[in-house]
Amino acid sequence: MTTPAPSPADPIPDLAGVVLHDEVVAARAPWSRVIERDQVLRIVDLEGNQAVDCILYDAHDPTERYSAAETIVEQRNIFLGVGTQLLSDEGRVMMTVVADTCGLHDTSGGACSCESNTLRYGHHTKHQHACVENFLQSHAARGMGKRDMVSNINWFMNVPVEADGSLGIVDGLSAPGKYVDLRAERDTLVVVSNCPQINNPCNAFHPTPVRMIVWRP
Amino acid sequence: MTTRAQAASAAAGVLAKPTIPASTAAGLPDDVPLAQLVWDEILGPGDYAARVLSRGSRLRLENLEGDGCIQLLAFNADQTAERLNIADTVKVQWQAYLSAGALLLSDMGRVLLTFETDTCGHHDTFCGASSQRRNGPKYGSGANHGPYPNARDRFALALAKHGLGKRDIGGNVNLFKGVRVEGDGALTFLESSSAPGDVVVLRAEMNVLVVLANTPHVLDPRSSYVATPVRLCAWRGPVTAADDPIRTSTPERQRAFENVEDHYAR
């Protein structure tokens, strides 16, 4: 599902450390990897405005998983950015956002699914590929399943909440080359769906590849 | 005849209890059909309950003294891998604040419950359930066996009795306590979210398992554990009709009901 790693000639901006893994995730594809404690995962929005749906699990006990609510309550803010601690349902820190050239990320809008697509866009969209399909495929390969699905992070996605509570997915703030760095505070399984949605602006109506760089500072 | 055990409960001020059979309940308003009543129970501070309700049933929650906070999970009772999805609920309806007419959506594109009545209007979809980690330092204890149990551990007990476990604890809504999202994304807790006697009536659009815990909202700033009693009752009712005004209010809601009907078509 992934294309070969970029050429070593491709520059990696602002990265001071040893690169352990470097991979381009194709548009619409799943990706998962255990990021060991103190390693950093850089997610690069190669072409801009590409939502990257993401759920975290404790690498040794995946029943402990990312909690959007715990993360929001801890920082008393619904947006993720530099300094955000990504918390588990046990209230423990899994990863920290240590760098961010985009500025704002979502954890309220969830992941697209074939089923929710039918509500938002019509019954005719049921067979379009969706993030939940990617998550479930990754989970199945690891002996996990639907019960392990929880509210996710949407890197590079912009979901503002207006004064009256109205909420929508609007044009992202991201641009080609924007990135976010996540430092693992514990061994963390990162499961990603490079969002295939084509019915709203989260991917500028055109899903594109993203780059995953794992490095040790 | 009052037994010694009952006398001890009364002396300890235990008010929270179910009425059995439910049809003998007293003190409910005239619009609650007693003959159809299947459940009547008061949840005191820290109490929890789990119950399967048939499609068409109504679940009425009354915030008796105005300071309860009901943390609610919901599942498709027939296949519990399908459950409440908070993100889909707010995203599909383009609205983070729940009020009368709102649907609680499952992760399978179907409507589990509808807010048929809501005199409160302040409920929270962002903050989740209280936990041992937060209740312990805040109240001195958060344990199930102590005086200040947390909602997550209440959920775990309730779910265990239905053969479910930790992986089944997804996102919850908090009824009767609201938050406001400021322009920069910051959250403000609404301290006077509800008044005594506020009522929410939820209509079951599928056979649902509901799990409820009455514990203080995770952002409640008070150092004392305040969760005043909430009365729950439920009765049998008709499945929602095709011309229901909530169902037909938006194309998204219409399709959520269509997906329910498709699910039950056998």
Side-chain angles (χ1 to χ4, degrees):
Chain A
M1 298 296 286
T2 55
T3 55
S7 152
D10 290 356
I12 303 177
D14 311 321
L15 192 155
V18 179
V19 173
L20 306 170
H21 185 79
D22 187 357
E23 180 177 355
V24 170
V25 180
R28 299 162 44 88
W31 181 87
S32 67
R33 186 179 175 89
V34 172
I35 310 299
E36 295 176 11
R37 182 179 176 181
D38 295 331
Q39 292 179 358
V40 178
L41 170 63
R42 172 168 298 185
I43 305 174
V44 186
D45 185 1
L46 291 173
E47 299 184 27
N49 259 346
Q50 175 57 45
V52 179
D53 291 47
C54 176
I55 312 179
L56 312 178
Y57 298 86
D58 183 293
H60 307 290
D61 174 12
T63 68
E64 181 173 357
R65 63 267 185 109
Y66 173 72
S67 167
E70 286 288 331
T71 298
I72 286 171
V73 164
E74 185 70 16
Q75 63 174 15
R76 286 247 189 170
N77 193 295
I78 65 168
F79 300 126
L80 311 185
V82 170
T84 294
Q85 294 184 317
L86 304 172
L87 266 56
S88 74
D89 58 342
E90 304 289 346
R92 300 200 295 165
V93 184
M94 308 185 89
M95 302 184 96
T96 304
V97 181
V98 292
D100 172 24
T101 63
C102 175
L104 185 150
H105 310 268
D106 166 71
T107 192
S108 306
C112 63
S113 67
C114 298
E115 293 77 17
S116 69
N117 280 350
T118 71
L119 301 185
R120 282 169 66 79
Y121 312 113
H123 294 303
H124 66 284
T125 60
K126 183 175 180 190
H127 298 290
Q128 293 179 0
H129 190 52
C131 283
V132 170
E133 308 284 301
N134 277 337
F135 283 129
L136 292 177
Q137 178 187 322
S138 293
H139 285 2
R142 294 176 187 271
M144 298 161 65
K146 186 168 181 303
R147 295 165 70 202
D148 299 298
M149 291 295 301
V150 287
S151 276
N152 56 288
I153 300 160
N154 292 301
W155 300 112
F156 310 113
M157 196 165 104
N158 186 11
V159 184
V161 176
E162 307 297 337
D164 64 354
S166 66
L167 159 156
I169 296 167
V170 301
D171 270 337
L173 304 173
S174 192
K178 298 276 188 185
Y179 65 84
V180 62
D181 279 352
L182 313 176
R183 183 180 67 216
E185 308 297 352
R186 298 184 282 141
D187 297 350
T188 301
L189 169 64
V190 179
V191 183
V192 155
S193 166
N194 192 13
C195 180
Q197 183 59 257
I198 52 173
N199 299 291
N200 78 51
C202 71
N203 305 320
F205 301 96
H206 174 62
T208 51
V210 295
R211 183 175 176 184
M212 300 291 191
I213 305 165
V214 182
W215 53 288
R216 185 183 296 281
Chain B
M1 184 191 296
T2 301
T3 66
R4 288 177 62 191
Q6 287 168 331
S9 281
V14 176
L15 299 172
K17 59 183 179 184
T19 306
I20 295 180
S23 57
T24 62
L28 290 168
D30 291 342
D31 58 355
V32 173
L34 278 182
Q36 301 300 320
L37 209 64
V38 295
W39 186 21
D40 179 51
E41 185 163 359
I42 291 174
L43 294 188
D47 289 347
Y48 73 93
R51 185 110 189 168
V52 173
L53 299 172
S54 296
R55 186 181 179 201
S57 298
R58 268 63 170 175
L59 171 62
R60 181 182 187 274
L61 305 95
E62 182 174 354
N63 200 4
L64 294 171
E65 298 170 25
D67 216 350
C69 178
I70 293 292
Q71 318 195 358
L72 171 74
L73 297 174
F75 302 81
N76 174 346
D78 303 320
Q79 48 185 57
T80 52
E82 177 178 3
R83 64 188 183 214
L84 174 64
N85 187 304
I86 298 294
D88 284 356
T89 293
V90 302
K91 174 174 63 178
V92 168
Q93 298 177 95
W94 309 87
Q95 177 54 251
Y97 303 149
L98 303 172
S99 60
L103 312 186
L104 294 177
L105 296 172
S106 81
D107 50 26
M108 292 293 285
R110 297 188 273 255
V111 48
L112 291 164
L113 295 155
T114 298
F115 280 71
E116 190 172 51
T117 302
D118 177 18
T119 68
C120 174
H122 296 298
H123 314 289
D124 163 41
T125 56
F126 290 101
C127 296
S130 58
S131 63
Q132 169 65 30
R133 177 178 165 275
R134 293 187 193 281
N135 278 26
K138 191 171 178 181
Y139 304 117
S141 166
N144 272 326
H145 63 271
Y148 311 121
N150 71 83
R152 277 184 51 80
D153 286 345
R154 289 330 228 172
F155 289 161
L157 288 181
L159 290 170
K161 295 175 183 179
H162 289 263
L164 303 174
K166 184 174 184 294
R167 294 165 69 206
D168 301 293
I169 303 177
N172 64 286
V173 297
N174 294 302
L175 300 176
F176 301 121
K177 294 290 181 191
V179 298
R180 182 175 64 238
V181 181
E182 309 296 351
D184 62 355
L187 286 182
T188 300
F189 179 67
L190 304 177
E191 300 204 16
S192 300
S193 294
S194 181
D198 268 339
V199 169
V200 169
V201 177
L202 300 175
R203 187 173 66 197
E205 309 293 359
M206 303 179 67
N207 297 327
V208 293
L209 167 65
V210 290
V211 178
L212 312 98
N214 184 14
T215 67
H217 188 279
V218 66
L219 289 183
D220 192 320
R222 293 171 289 189
S223 57
S224 56
Y225 185 93
V226 179
T228 58
V230 173
R231 185 172 188 174
L232 310 174
C233 68
W235 59 93
R236 298 180 207 94
V239 171
T240 302
D243 62 350
D244 176 74
I246 297 174
R247 169 182 169 136
T248 57
S249 59
T250 70
E252 291 91 345
R253 288 177 180 146
Q254 175 82 34
R255 288 193 286 269
F257 281 91
E258 288 169 359
N259 284 345
V260 168
E261 279 154 12
D262 181 65
H263 174 66
Y264 283 109
R266 320 250 145 113

